Amino acid sequence: MAKKAKEPQKPSLAWQGTYGDMITLMLCFFVMLYNPSEVDVTQLATITQSLEMTETETTSGGMSLSAGMLSDLGNNINSLPSTEKGRSLGNAKKKAVSLFAPDVNSTRITVTSDERGLIITLLADNFFDEGSAELNIEETRETLLRLSDFFNSPEVQDRRYRIEGHTDDTPVPQILDENGKNIGFPSNWELSAARAINVLHYLADYGVEEKNFSVAGYADTRPKFSNDTPEERAYNRRVDIIILDEGHF
């Protein structure tokens, strides 16, 4: 009597676990590389729109990604002026972080951003003597030259900027002449404005377009921290140079 043939064994599915782990690791890798500032917002919006369907539409086919009636009407998202500016502001932040790395490491400058735009903060104690608006050129020349290079770079061309002077709440020290008359700044208002103006004058001397700038002095009315400790007061004494987002021109 013939022996009954053995049934073939089912193939092992153990490889699926390894494969799944590999796909997960690849996903994590590409997520780490993802940079929102470089996203083509036009294509992203078009893809999103193509996936949206009304209740009466069927799933028989997707919408085309090619230009449609909105483009003919001039309403294509790519034509909006803020699109390219938003991307370039992301590139400007990359440029600033790279260019000012030596100054950030030496705590002369900080690079941050908020709803106003990209903010380059000059910590005033490194750039000015107490109660003075004259820049310490010899000590900060390299930093100031990097600032000039930054504002002449293509990443920030055709944008608007604002230079804001800030102080702590300590009254400005009086500087008396031989007759006992105060020849210093009357208050922190004048001091903060003068510091901002002198930073602008320096940038203009190195070819930066003055017409793209505005200047403001806030004295101690907009502190970053409380004025309770010497360290907090030191951070409040600053000059903020803001590459303005379009909504804050």
Side-chain angles (χ1 to χ4, degrees):
M1 186 176 200
K3 293 183 179 179
K4 187 177 181 182
K6 294 183 179 179
E7 293 184 4
Q9 294 182 351
K10 294 183 179 180
S12 173
L13 300 179
W15 63 271
Q16 292 183 347
T18 303
Y19 179 79
D21 291 341
M22 182 188 71
I23 295 298
T24 303
L25 290 173
M26 290 181 63
L27 175 62
C28 293
F29 174 75
F30 286 112
V31 167
M32 286 172 21
L33 292 179
Y34 174 73
N35 187 346
S37 66
E38 295 181 347
V39 172
D40 188 335
V41 293
T42 303
Q43 189 168 359
L44 179 61
T46 308
I47 292 173
T48 302
Q49 184 182 20
S50 73
L51 297 176
E52 292 177 351
M53 306 179 101
T54 63
E55 292 179 356
T56 59
E57 289 176 325
T58 68
T59 58
S60 59
M63 296 173 63
S64 172
L65 296 184
S66 60
M69 289 190 299
L70 289 179
S71 177
D72 297 334
L73 293 173
N75 292 326
N76 191 303
I77 190 171
N78 194 39
S79 68
L80 297 177
S82 61
T83 301
E84 183 60 36
K85 289 182 180 291
R87 286 200 292 265
S88 65
L89 193 56
N91 293 333
K93 185 171 184 178
K94 286 183 182 179
K95 174 80 172 182
V97 169
S98 174
L99 184 62
F100 299 119
D103 309 293
V104 172
N105 292 336
S106 61
T107 65
R108 286 184 174 177
I109 279 182
T110 62
V111 179
T112 56
S113 60
D114 63 15
E115 71 281 356
R116 296 171 296 170
L118 177 63
I119 306 169
I120 301 171
T121 297
L122 315 183
L123 301 180
D125 289 358
N126 294 303
F127 293 86
F128 305 95
D129 292 331
E130 182 182 5
S132 172
E134 295 298 319
L135 281 161
N136 296 328
I137 298 297
E138 295 304 320
E139 297 180 10
T140 60
R141 185 185 305 276
E142 294 299 321
T143 300
L144 293 168
L145 287 174
R146 279 191 282 271
L147 274 172
S148 301
D149 290 341
F150 177 74
F151 284 103
N152 283 319
S153 65
E155 286 83 357
V156 294
Q157 280 183 348
D158 302 322
R159 298 198 73 88
R160 302 288 297 178
Y161 322 104
R162 185 168 66 241
I163 303 180
E164 299 179 352
H166 301 268
T167 68
D168 61 19
D169 62 354
T170 305
V172 176
Q174 291 190 340
I175 303 175
L176 305 178
D177 62 11
E178 62 274 10
N179 298 319
K181 182 179 179 181
N182 181 27
I183 57 175
F185 291 100
S187 72
N188 281 321
W189 288 103
E190 290 83 1
L191 175 61
S192 62
R195 286 179 170 179
I197 291 170
N198 283 346
V199 170
L200 175 57
H201 286 332
Y202 185 91
L203 295 176
D205 288 342
Y206 282 86
V208 176
E209 286 284 350
E210 283 184 296
K211 65 181 181 180
N212 295 330
F213 285 80
S214 59
V215 173
Y218 290 104
D220 62 329
T221 61
R222 298 190 180 183
K224 294 182 71 173
F225 303 97
S226 69
N227 285 294
D228 297 335
T229 67
E231 291 78 13
E232 290 173 326
R233 289 194 292 272
Y235 278 105
N236 291 334
R237 297 189 294 269
R238 68 194 191 278
V239 174
D240 288 339
I241 308 176
I242 307 171
I243 297 87
L244 293 168
D245 189 54
E246 188 168 292
H248 289 80
F249 281 6

